[in-house]
Amino acid sequence: MSGSDAKTIEYSLIDDIACIQLTRPSKRNALSDQMMQELGRAAEKASREAKAAIIYGSGKHFCAGLDLAEHVEKTALEGIESSRNWHDVFSRIQRGNIPYVSALHGGVVGGGLELACVTHIRVAAKNTYFALPEGARGIFVGGSGSVNISRILGVARMTDLMLTGRVLTSEEAERFGLVAYIEEDEQLFDKALALAKVAANNPPLSNYAILNAIPRICDSGHDEGLFFESIMASLTQTTDEAKSRLLEFLDKKSKPLNIPKGD
Ligand code: 1HE
């Protein structure tokens, strides 16, 4: 870390939601080594004091990916170490103890898309675009994209993006399951915050199971998955918190489902 650079991540709390902003707009929030360190620290802080978090960018774009300037001079070993460091920081987000919502606007490119894909819910503004230009740059994904983006988009679509430099619009990204919501630009932050607040209201053990058990079950065999599921189901439903919430429903005191109204 250069130490002389300005802060590249801003961290704040709104109630019990950690707000993590990428604040390097002059470089389109390109992820430098310093930024990864600060992001890792922010994720650790959030895991200690928040019940959910949002990640969003400053300036015109969410994130232009890996800081290419820093990587021109790296040796093969330094490249591996850097990639493993990304994996470490991203794991704190993806498989930590609190849900993350990302608010995506402008360009979500390369490592920026990898970052978005370790968050649990992705909300995009209408103008957002998504790309993986690694092939054209002569490099490869290194921030867990080959594991995470391939699972979300499917191998064929990810391969298309990487080979051809195809850029997806928000609508395409939603159709392909890459984003869960599209919002007007002005409402992007509020929507992400509102989703984070809803998720923060779930009991921590349920959230932990949702974030940590589902991806592991998906990675395991059918029988192992079902067995693991039964353990998690039993573990969550025997807590006092679950019991009181179930009784609340049975006593007709719980909030009804937010059922969308038809046209
Ligand atoms: C950068 C970076 C960067 C911008 N590293 N400096 N990512 C990419 O290949 C995407 C590279 N960036 C772009 O294609 C464009 O910047 C954008 C389409 C995202 C935005 O365009 P625009 O017109 O708003 O900005 P710009 O004029 O291109 O860039 C503004 C400045 O940011 C400029 O620096 P300046 O000193 O000339 O002002 C750019 O050099 C700088 N900048 N993006 C370094 N990425 C773990 S492996 C992950 C592998 C990857 O992520 S590969 C994909 C990398």
Side-chain angles (χ1 to χ4, degrees):
M1 174 174 165
S2 71
S4 58
D5 287 351
K7 266 171 89 179
T8 58
I9 298 286
E10 279 300 327
Y11 178 96
S12 59
L13 271 180
I14 298 181
D15 302 325
D16 45 16
I17 309 300
C19 302
I20 298 175
Q21 187 180 28
L22 315 180
T23 52
R24 205 183 170 215
S26 63
K27 297 290 178 189
R28 308 309 184 241
N29 298 320
L31 295 162
S32 60
D33 291 341
Q34 175 189 344
M35 212 159 164
M36 291 308 289
Q37 263 194 35
E38 290 181 21
L39 182 60
R41 271 189 243 124
E44 265 169 34
K45 196 164 157 58
S47 76
R48 287 194 303 272
E49 65 185 22
K51 290 194 175 152
I54 56 176
I55 297 189
Y56 56 108
S58 60
K60 291 198 312 186
H61 304 279
F62 174 70
C63 177
L66 176 73
D67 185 321
L68 296 171
E70 274 186 358
H71 278 257
V72 176
E73 301 297 339
K74 283 202 162 120
T75 64
L77 184 56
E78 285 166 347
I80 293 172
E81 284 167 351
S82 166
S83 169
R84 298 298 287 157
N85 181 50
W86 279 50
H87 296 160
D88 179 35
V89 171
F90 281 5
S91 279
R92 284 178 229 169
I93 295 170
Q94 187 176 26
R95 297 201 174 174
N97 57 349
I98 55 168
Y100 276 76
V101 181
S102 51
L104 309 171
H105 77 289
V108 181
V109 180
L113 183 52
E114 293 182 293
L115 171 58
C117 286
V118 297
T119 66
H120 306 102
I121 302 175
R122 286 167 290 283
V123 188
K126 284 197 169 154
N127 67 1
T128 313
Y129 58 88
F130 304 82
L132 291 172
E134 279 84 348
R137 305 265 182 262
I139 57 176
F140 192 64
V141 284
S144 69
S146 60
V147 174
N148 290 321
I149 301 175
S150 59
R151 279 185 168 78
I152 296 168
L153 270 185
V155 171
R157 285 200 172 108
M158 181 177 179
T159 304
D160 178 20
L161 261 65
M162 289 193 72
L163 286 178
T164 67
R166 178 175 178 181
V167 178
L168 300 179
T169 62
S170 286
E171 285 76 18
E172 287 169 322
E174 186 186 35
R175 190 146 41 87
F176 295 169
L178 190 56
V179 302
Y181 302 87
I182 299 179
E183 277 299 319
E184 297 296 337
D185 297 14
E186 316 77 62
Q187 265 118 52
L188 181 67
F189 181 88
D190 288 348
K191 177 70 179 183
L193 186 62
L195 289 166
K197 283 185 172 170
V198 172
N201 208 26
N202 301 329
L205 185 60
S206 276
N207 278 345
Y208 190 84
I210 292 164
L211 307 183
N212 285 280
I214 294 175
R216 287 182 172 87
I217 288 170
C218 279
D219 286 345
S220 64
H222 182 94
D223 197 43
E224 295 80 359
L226 294 182
F227 181 71
F228 191 10
E229 180 187 270
S230 70
I231 305 289
M232 288 315 299
S234 174
L235 196 63
T236 51
Q237 85 202 15
T238 48
T239 59
D240 289 344
E241 177 68 29
K243 280 181 190 155
S244 78
R245 288 184 182 224
L246 298 179
L247 287 172
E248 231 174 61
F249 172 78
L250 296 171
D251 292 342
K252 309 204 184 309
K253 287 183 188 150
S254 67
K255 239 173 92 186
L257 292 182
N258 190 10
I259 301 167
K261 294 186 183 60
D263 293 330

